[in-house]
Amino acid sequence: MKIKLFKCIAYLRKYISEMNLRFPNLYLYIFIFWYLTDIIFNTTLKTFFGIPAGTLNSLVSLSVFVLLMVQIMLLLPSFEKRELIIITCITIPVAVATLLSGHRTMLSAWMFIVASKNESMDRMVRTVFKILIIAIPLVCISYMMGWLEDNVVVMRGLERSSMGFSHPNQLGLSIFQLAVCYCYINKEKNNILNYIFIIAAIIFVYTVPNSQTACICLLMLLVVLSIYKYIIKYKQVMVKIYMVILWIGALFMNVFSIILSYIDIHKYSALSGIDRWASARFSLGHRVWEIHGVSFFGQMVYVSEEERALAGITERLWLDNAYLCILLRYGILVFILFSAAYLWMIKYAAARKKYILAIILFLYALYGVMENGLFVLAHNIFLIAFADLLYKKEERAVYEKGDL
């Protein structure tokens, strides 16, 4: 029986290897298709040729899931034993949490990471930048032509325009990702154009969508990048200390997001100011925590209008802090896995002198305090860096060059 089983496995591996020779690596094409449609479905578009956008979104999600599964199956013969163990140990809790929570965001990101074994992160970032530099103006032009509606949000007495995007914050997040992609692509350059690009992004985000989070994170990008560019000219030890400070900052934002959401922050006058600065993210998250509690493997969390209608909850709820969202929706286990891997990724990038990547990961950690974009691959393409940890791409590249 065992001999037959081994023969079947050997035949399967041989068959998949032959399939790999017949079919090219489709990963980038799958990603481009998914990323473009994600931008479209994050606009105010309601129907496409009479078909509801929500229906099309579901069909695209299913198609991408199937295509990624095929891509991963084609990669099976190339997986090492260590890689298979890690993939299995992460996939099981993420899949369980996805089923229990009804949210596929984390699983989608993980599948793209697993399938990216033979893909370069630099090429992925360049691809995203090219798409965004074309797609953002196209969405805005479509709004100005009257093809897309404007979702105007009034906050603090100011009208915030989405310019065709589903929400002003969606536009702000897209501009932020465009800016960090630009900085990553030009990481070896130290010219004035980098700073002009960031400043232009800040002005646009402040005046049009007036997205507080995007504006703060872009300002932080300007500050953190300027400090790095200054100290890199001097002793290397200063850069290492700087990276440690950023790592501690990312840890701080994670831990204190959970602590400030767990306690009733209104009981502490000193902390209430922080909550107001964060647009009540912590107190609103605390209310969701009170209603749903926390689970180990994940659970349904009813926040959106449609979800609350299903659960019979009439109270309006918000869950915009990424760390709390992961904890409540996906459970304690996935929260620990994600937090540990993210912090490890910052340390890994810094240790290999990928300082701009470490800076960008820190900025997304800051973004996570106010928005869920931290763990959404469409908003944080730099999650693909997890593949470098999983597959040890840098070590493999050195080995293939014969330098070991």
Side-chain angles (χ1 to χ4, degrees), residues 151-179:
N151 181 17
V152 178
V153 176
V154 179
M155 183 174 285
R156 298 181 294 273
L158 295 172
E159 285 193 357
R160 304 170 58 203
S161 173
S162 71
M163 294 198 75
F165 283 87
S166 58
H167 192 279
N169 287 343
Q170 184 69 38
L171 174 56
L173 184 49
S174 298
I175 296 296
F176 173 75
Q177 181 162 219
L178 180 71

Side-chain angles (χ1 to χ4, degrees), residues 41-200:
F41 295 131
N42 273 296
T43 65
T44 54
L45 182 73
K46 292 182 173 62
T47 60
F48 189 76
F49 289 106
I51 304 172
T55 302
L56 284 173
N57 193 10
S58 298
L59 289 172
V60 168
S61 297
L62 179 60
S63 302
V64 171
F65 176 80
V66 172
L67 289 169
L68 282 175
M69 285 299 296
V70 170
Q71 183 66 31
I72 291 169
M73 288 296 293
L74 292 173
L75 287 171
L76 272 178
S78 68
F79 287 149
E80 298 175 3
K81 185 178 179 181
R82 180 193 69 86
E83 294 166 356
L84 280 171
I85 291 171
I86 295 172
I87 290 169
T88 303
C89 289
I90 294 176
T91 301
I92 290 173
V94 170
V96 170
T98 299
L99 288 170
L100 293 175
S101 68
H103 276 251
R104 302 185 299 268
T105 305
M106 190 74 75
L107 181 62
S108 172
W110 175 239
M111 288 183 70
F112 271 108
I113 291 165
V114 172
S116 68
K117 182 171 185 177
N118 297 324
E119 190 54 64
S120 161
M121 194 184 82
D122 284 15
R123 188 162 79 145
M124 293 290 291
V125 175
R126 288 180 183 276
T127 300
V128 167
F129 179 79
K130 289 174 183 177
I131 293 172
L132 287 174
I133 204 71
I134 296 170
I136 294 173
L138 280 178
V139 172
C140 294
I141 290 169
S142 297
Y143 151 70
M144 288 185 284
M145 295 293 290
W147 300 332
L148 290 174
E149 296 177 3
D150 188 14
N151 181 17
V152 178
V153 176
V154 179
M155 183 174 285
R156 298 181 294 273
L158 295 172
E159 285 193 357
R160 304 170 58 203
S161 173
S162 71
M163 294 198 75
F165 283 87
S166 58
H167 192 279
N169 287 343
Q170 184 69 38
L171 174 56
L173 184 49
S174 298
I175 296 296
F176 173 75
Q177 181 162 219
L178 180 71
V180 292
C181 285
Y182 181 85
C183 291
Y184 182 84
I185 291 168
N186 296 282
K187 55 183 176 288
E188 303 301 331
K189 299 176 182 178
N190 189 23
N191 55 43
I192 194 67
L193 289 176
N194 291 345
Y195 302 103
I196 292 174
F197 195 95
I198 299 169
I199 293 168

